[in-house]
Amino acid sequence: MLKVLMPVDGSEAALRAATQFAALAPQLQEAEVLLLNVQHPIALSDRVIDGRPSELRHLEAPLREAAEKLFSVTRKVLEAAGIAYTTHVEFADPATAIADYAQRHHCDLIVMGTRGLGAIAQITLGSVSNKVLHLTALPVMLVK
């Protein structure tokens, strides 16, 4: 079974990636998709309330709810194509989290959108998709 990691950030590019992958579904024997939303980690200063450590799970709850909303459109695309999926939320640097998650979960492919930054912007700013390409040895399908 093909195991595919599909990062979801709510962007049009991410939705196009899901749509393109779903279009390939009839040619695939079986595929399992791991939908991943990466939230930036909660700052250390926000983890301390009134001088006491706060419960991290409580601080992450609204971010997890936001991630679930971001998954909704992609879920519909995959369900319409009959593709099995699970959803996951990580708290880390996005590119690093995507590459690490794919490796930890033994994915065969990463499918993600690209925002289409120009060459100059990519050199100076970089992009998550560009960083993922450099951080992983896995095949990466980028959809513009």
Side-chain angles (χ1 to χ4, degrees):
M1 174 183 299
L2 181 67
K3 193 179 240 187
V4 179
L5 177 61
M6 190 176 299
V8 176
D9 64 0
S11 69
E12 286 296 318
L15 181 58
R16 281 193 302 275
T19 303
Q20 287 297 320
F21 182 77
L24 298 173
Q27 288 84 20
L28 302 173
Q29 294 288 339
E30 287 185 48
E32 174 191 3
V33 175
L34 305 175
L35 297 178
L36 176 66
N37 176 259
V38 182
Q39 298 284 331
H40 288 283
I42 296 171
L44 184 58
S45 60
D46 292 339
R47 293 182 191 189
V48 178
I49 298 174
D50 296 328
R52 296 180 316 235
S54 179
E55 191 173 325
L56 193 55
R57 186 180 66 213
H58 177 71
L59 294 172
E60 290 177 349
L63 298 173
R64 289 185 186 281
E65 288 175 20
E68 288 301 319
K69 289 179 185 174
L70 294 176
F71 289 135
S72 65
V73 176
T74 304
R75 281 184 179 134
K76 290 176 186 173
V77 169
L78 297 177
E79 287 169 0
I83 299 172
Y85 65 87
T86 55
T87 61
H88 310 272
V89 180
E90 294 273 315
F91 294 86
D93 168 69
T96 304
I98 292 166
D100 290 348
Y101 193 91
Q103 183 178 9
R104 281 194 329 266
H105 290 86
H106 309 287
C107 293
D108 301 302
L109 173 68
I110 299 171
V111 176
M112 61 189 300
T114 176
R115 302 235 179 171
L117 293 174
I120 303 270
Q122 281 188 339
I123 290 169
T124 59
L125 297 174
S127 69
V128 173
S129 56
N130 190 37
K131 289 176 186 174
V132 169
L133 284 172
H134 288 69
L135 290 172
T136 186
L138 293 173
V140 179
M141 178 179 152
L142 295 177
V143 178
K144 191 169 185 178

